[in-house]
Amino acid sequence: MYVILVYDIEQKRVGKMLKLCRQYLNWIQNSVFEGDITDAKLKELLYKANNIMDTGYDSIIVFKSRNEKWLDKQVIGKEKNSIDNFM
Amino acid sequence: MYVILVYDIEQKRVGKMLKLCRQYLNWIQNSVFEGDITDAKLKELLYKANNIMDTGYDSIIVFKSRNEKWLDKQVIGKEKNSIDNFM
């Protein structure tokens, strides 16, 4: 499964969340990650994320697609990772 | 066409960019927008965005899908717009 994960996390918790998400997905913009992940691994990630978050303030949105070919990606401006050519 | 737009824009330019993106898409998280948009309207949006951005510092990533049914969305934590039920 291909996913895009975006988060909005308060400053004091964002370092932990960044570290967590990078263990599972590719970091492509300040608060945006993408990658192939199994359903089980995604559940594990979200379980751990939930322990870091304050759900009254923070949020995570996950977009899931069974096939990454269903999505086109266009980047304008500065690219975080110059090589993202698996897309 | 259904798109997800995420931006990473420096503080001094972010207000203008937010205002612009909201004219074309639904604001669903701090720097995340989604919605149905025609190819022509998206080009117009990105042309205007390019005029606001400093492409050495700022970035926009657009994920495009011909059909929004190809994407599942899951929100954890605080929802910006409580009603996003067109998804």
Side-chain angles (χ1 to χ4, degrees):
Chain A
M1 176 170 60
Y2 167 78
V3 305
I4 300 160
L5 183 153
V6 291
Y7 62 53
D8 184 12
I9 307 288
E10 275 211 0
Q11 196 57 39
K12 57 189 166 192
R13 290 180 289 275
V14 78
K16 263 193 175 175
M17 189 61 88
L18 171 61
K19 199 174 156 191
L20 173 67
C21 292
R22 291 186 79 177
Q23 286 166 21
Y24 293 82
L25 297 166
N26 305 301
W27 190 24
I28 57 166
Q29 201 191 64
N30 190 29
S31 57
V32 186
F33 302 79
E34 68 169 9
D36 256 313
I37 191 167
T38 63
D39 210 38
K41 279 286 172 193
L42 180 62
K43 272 187 186 137
E44 185 182 292
L45 166 57
L46 294 179
Y47 174 80
K48 290 180 185 174
N50 209 54
N51 287 340
I52 295 172
M53 292 169 78
D54 180 333
T55 52
Y57 295 94
D58 303 333
S59 76
I60 286 181
I61 305 175
V62 183
F63 299 93
K64 305 175 200 176
S65 178
R66 267 182 295 139
N67 193 331
E68 76 180 67
K69 284 177 190 149
W70 291 343
L71 277 182
D72 266 336
K73 188 172 67 166
Q74 182 180 0
V75 180
I76 299 117
K78 194 167 175 252
E79 288 213 53
K80 188 156 221 87
N81 300 317
S82 55
I83 298 167
D84 249 317
N85 53 13
F86 67 96
M87 280 293 291
Chain B
M1 176 170 60
Y2 168 78
V3 304
I4 300 160
L5 183 152
V6 291
Y7 63 53
D8 183 12
I9 307 286
E10 275 210 0
Q11 197 56 39
K12 56 189 165 192
R13 291 180 287 275
V14 78
K16 263 194 176 176
M17 189 60 88
L18 171 62
K19 200 173 157 192
L20 173 66
C21 291
R22 291 186 78 177
Q23 286 165 22
Y24 292 83
L25 297 166
N26 306 301
W27 190 24
I28 56 166
Q29 201 192 62
N30 191 29
S31 57
V32 186
F33 302 80
E34 68 170 9
D36 256 313
I37 190 167
T38 63
D39 210 38
K41 279 286 172 192
L42 180 61
K43 274 189 185 134
E44 186 182 290
L45 166 56
L46 294 179
Y47 174 80
K48 290 179 185 173
N50 209 55
N51 288 339
I52 294 172
M53 294 169 76
D54 179 334
T55 51
Y57 295 94
D58 303 334
S59 76
I60 286 179
I61 305 176
V62 183
F63 299 92
K64 306 174 199 177
S65 178
R66 268 181 296 140
N67 193 330
E68 77 179 67
K69 284 177 192 148
W70 291 343
L71 277 182
D72 265 336
K73 189 172 66 165
Q74 182 181 359
V75 181
I76 299 118
K78 194 166 175 254
E79 287 212 56
K80 187 156 220 86
N81 301 316
S82 56
I83 297 165
D84 248 318
N85 53 12
F86 68 96
M87 277 293 290

